[in-house]
Amino acid sequence: MAAMVVKRSLVRSLSSRLYVLSQGQVCAYSSSTKHPFQGGNGEGSSPTGHLTMTSSSKQLSTADIKKIPDAEVRKSVFISQSNDVFTNLALEDWIYRHFDLTNHHILMLWINKPSVVIGRHQNPFSETNVSALERNGIELARRNSGGGAVYHDLGNLNCTFFMPRARYDRKYNLTLLTRALYREYGINAELSARDDIVLLGKKISGTAAKLGQPNAYHHCTLLVNSNKLHLGASLAKDNVEITSKATASIPSPIKNLVDVNRTVNIQQLLSAIGYEFLRTPATQLTDGGRDLLMKQRGFQLINPTDKWFPGITELRENFASWEWRFGKTPNFSVQKTIQLKSAGAAQEMKVKVDVEKALIKEISLILPNHEPIPVVSDMVGRAYNEDCFHGIAEALKAALGKWAYNMAGFNQYGLHRDDCLYENDDVKEAIRRLPEKLKDERNFRITRALHLSMTKTILPKEQWTKYEEDTKYLEPYLQEVVKEREEKVKWESNK
């Protein structure tokens, strides 16, 4: 039987109890050899020494729960030892499902490796570039609560407050965090109208909640020393038009706590928030001090395993599954404008992809003033992502470009695209700058085409200019002329 590890404090020398829970260690409150979920009567106890859900706890009314005095409510701070986003989401869900919180409130503190976490009802493709995340090794997770998309990394602290639904109080939790920041660092953060925590007008914490029966939880982030460049890049969306009824995030300017106080660090902040939670009564934002702190259940390090949280591995697998992360996406459509050029003329059209449960349902082409034209493709039924969409758009553009090129007909006379450009002043100057060989070849093609047109004939098909072989020989010279003209106009305007 492994020994129970007891430590007096995390940072300060206060008498809070600390239990390390991992596979191979015994229940914090028991030295028996029973199954870790068996209490004194064989049921209702958790490996952390707390009561799990029972039928009696579920039957308590809201009024009955509200009548329970604060003196009868104990608090615990759980610190997850995992940095895996799916494991932590599973632990959060396990506590929400199984713990009896009637007389016991819990604060779970957790830190994840780089990941983007979206709300339950969000469209990941509207919130980030999923393909780019995969290339950068950043996980995309969907949580069980609502709200918007957030970026997690090792410089971001996550806080989850568990309580009975009857005692849910978001402002109590957020105010508790601001009190901890002020008590520990003298940082004067405030609550916004949207229940974000802001500092000097910028957001340092977002918030979301899961309200069920009989339990509820409220979780939020705290930006301590997060990589803001990675945060911005990870929440950058693909440059396409998405139509969706999914909940959309509301972008806000952000700030790290270290931007205003360089002494802030994750471990000290974690300890400060934990102590603030333990010294504050269950429903009143007053300071119970050391007397209340000594009555609480203290800090507990949690190693999420099936031995202590039966079924948590399956929960993690569910959170990490494609079906949950992407299959739960509300139906949406994606559009992108493509431009086809032929003989100097440009035609714009849109590629549209309809997506259902993150699978491509239909691909269509939309021309101005026309009904959508269905496109037959083996991509229908495949999982959608940004790389897939752009592959479809590029393939259609190439196919349509070749079709439009051949339909234009100039290639049947042996002409190139650049032979057909309208000869304005810029084009004339570009032609003048052509090397003699290119100029002679151009003149030959145009002279031959004029002769064929006058005789109402075309070249044999094997002599038609091929789409793949038509080089834009004039384009580099034309770009150079245009750039020089624009620079001249700008210079003259500054005289």
Side-chain angles (χ1 to χ4, degrees):
M1 184 179 298
M4 181 176 68
V5 180
V6 181
K7 186 177 180 181
R8 288 294 178 183
S9 75
L10 289 178
V11 175
R12 308 165 187 167
S13 56
L14 292 174
S15 301
S16 290
R17 289 164 289 178
L18 176 68
Y19 301 99
V20 179
L21 300 175
S22 61
Q23 198 160 353
Q25 291 182 308
V26 298
C27 174
Y29 287 110
S30 173
S31 60
S32 73
T33 57
K34 295 180 180 179
H35 185 278
F37 271 77
Q38 292 179 336
N41 61 357
E43 61 179 6
S45 177
S46 81
T48 53
H50 308 298
L51 294 179
T52 51
M53 199 79 73
T54 64
S55 58
S56 60
S57 64
K58 293 181 182 180
Q59 291 171 0
L60 281 178
S61 67
T62 297
D64 290 336
I65 292 175
K66 287 184 175 180
K67 289 178 183 177
I68 298 173
D70 283 1
E72 295 181 12
V73 178
R74 293 293 175 260
K75 287 185 170 185
S76 296
V77 177
F78 287 1
I79 304 172
S80 174
Q81 298 302 284
S82 174
N83 295 132
D84 174 69
V85 62
F86 303 117
T87 299
N88 283 325
L89 289 174
L91 176 60
E92 189 178 58
D93 195 51
W94 198 101
I95 295 171
Y96 165 76
R97 290 170 182 244
H98 296 291
F99 265 72
D100 182 354
L101 302 173
T102 308
N103 295 83
H104 179 212
H105 293 188
I106 298 170
L107 170 61
M108 173 181 158
L109 300 172
W110 43 297
I111 302 167
N112 290 327
K113 290 180 288 189
S115 53
V116 170
V117 185
I118 62 171
R120 182 186 180 102
H121 307 294
Q122 289 198 293
N123 179 346
F125 305 101
S126 297
E127 303 300 328
T128 182
N129 188 317
V130 175
S131 297
L133 290 185
E134 291 176 353
R135 286 192 291 272
N136 294 328
I138 298 174
E139 296 286 7
L140 185 284
R142 183 188 296 275
R143 60 179 180 267
N144 241 329
S145 62
V150 290
Y151 173 77
H152 291 180
D153 64 10
L154 298 178
N156 176 84
L157 178 62
N158 303 291
C159 311
T160 306
F161 297 86
F162 296 90
M163 71 293 293
R165 170 69 179 269
R167 284 214 187 94
Y168 177 80
D169 187 345
R170 180 180 296 197
K171 290 192 183 299
Y172 168 95
N173 301 331
L174 296 173
T175 303
L176 189 147
L177 294 178
T178 62
R179 284 159 59 103
L181 288 172
Y182 187 78
R183 187 189 301 273
E184 187 71 14
Y185 300 105
I187 294 175
N188 192 16
E190 300 174 333
L191 302 188
S192 73
R194 296 183 56 249
D195 285 342
D196 294 327
I197 301 178
V198 295
L199 182 58
L200 302 177
K202 293 187 177 182
K203 183 174 175 179
I204 60 171
S205 174
T207 193
K210 174 74 172 176
L211 305 179
Q213 285 294 350
N215 291 341
Y217 65 78
H218 164 226
H219 50 194
C220 57
T221 60
L222 270 175
L223 292 170
V224 181
N225 190 21
S226 190
N227 189 316
K228 288 190 282 189
L229 289 177
H230 291 174
L231 185 153
S234 297
L235 295 179
K237 309 167 191 176
D238 194 22
N239 186 26
V240 294
E241 179 186 343
I242 295 181
T243 304
S244 173
K245 293 183 179 179
T247 302
S249 298
I250 301 175
S252 302
I254 58 145
K255 184 180 286 293
N256 275 320
L257 288 170
V258 295
D259 294 339
V260 296
N261 187 330
R262 292 186 178 275
T263 66
V264 181
N265 64 80
I266 286 279
Q267 293 305 319
Q268 185 180 357
L269 179 63
L270 181 151
S271 176
I273 291 172
Y275 279 113
E276 192 70 33
F277 178 74
L278 294 174
R279 67 191 293 163
T280 305
T283 62
Q284 302 296 318
L285 285 166
T286 57
D287 187 3
R290 181 182 176 86
D291 290 342
L292 180 58
L293 187 66
M294 294 298 294
K295 296 175 183 177
Q296 307 292 19
R297 297 186 176 181
F299 291 82
Q300 301 183 44
L301 300 181
I302 304 296
N303 188 2
T305 62
D306 276 322
K307 181 174 178 62
W308 301 106
F309 303 92
I312 196 171
T313 298
E314 184 179 351
L315 276 177
R316 185 205 176 278
E317 290 172 355
N318 289 338
F319 276 107
S321 68
W322 186 93
E323 289 74 17
W324 172 255
R325 295 188 298 149
F326 301 106
K328 293 292 183 181
T329 302
N331 297 347
F332 66 101
S333 64
V334 191
Q335 294 186 76
K336 181 181 180 181
T337 299
I338 59 175
Q339 190 177 74
L340 301 179
K341 292 183 179 180
S342 180
Q347 173 71 56
E348 285 192 349
M349 57 191 70
K350 289 185 175 182
V351 178
K352 181 183 179 185
V353 174
D354 294 314
V355 184
E356 188 175 292
K357 296 182 179 179
L359 298 175
I360 295 173
K361 182 182 180 183
E362 187 175 7
I363 303 171
S364 52
L365 197 63
I366 304 175
L367 280 67
N369 304 316
H370 284 78
E371 291 294 319
I373 303 170
V375 175
V376 178
S377 171
D378 62 0
M379 298 302 295
V380 173
R382 296 191 184 185
Y384 173 86
N385 64 34
E386 295 85 357
D387 289 349
C388 177
F389 175 79
H390 290 295
I392 292 171
E394 288 303 316
L396 279 173
K397 184 177 180 179
L400 290 169
K402 188 173 183 178
W403 173 81
Y405 181 89
N406 290 325
M407 287 296 293
F410 61 81
N411 65 322
Q412 299 176 26
Y413 295 91
L415 292 171
H416 288 198
R417 278 169 290 200
D418 284 0
D419 297 337
C420 305
L421 294 176
Y422 173 71
E423 292 190 13
N424 58 21
D425 290 342
D426 289 339
V427 173
K428 288 178 181 177
E429 177 60 23
I431 293 171
R432 189 188 67 80
R433 298 184 185 189
L434 283 173
E436 287 302 318
K437 183 175 184 297
L438 290 179
K439 194 180 296 184
D440 289 343
E441 290 173 351
R442 171 190 168 88
N443 291 336
F444 169 77
R445 290 192 299 271
I446 292 174
T447 301
R448 181 178 59 181
L450 288 171
H451 174 73
L452 290 169
S453 179
M454 291 174 62
T455 59
K456 298 182 179 181
T457 58
I458 58 174
L459 292 172
K461 191 169 184 178
E462 61 271 13
Q463 294 183 32
W464 291 3
T465 306
K466 294 180 176 61
Y467 175 77
E468 297 81 2
E469 297 174 358
D470 189 342
T471 58
K472 296 182 179 181
Y473 64 91
L474 191 60
E475 189 171 278
Y477 302 95
L478 183 57
Q479 289 176 347
E480 184 180 74
V481 170
V482 171
K483 183 179 179 181
E484 289 175 1
R485 175 173 54 79
E486 290 175 347
E487 288 176 348
K488 182 179 179 181
V489 170
K490 185 177 179 181
W491 183 80
E492 290 179 347
S493 66
N494 291 330
K495 282 184 177 180

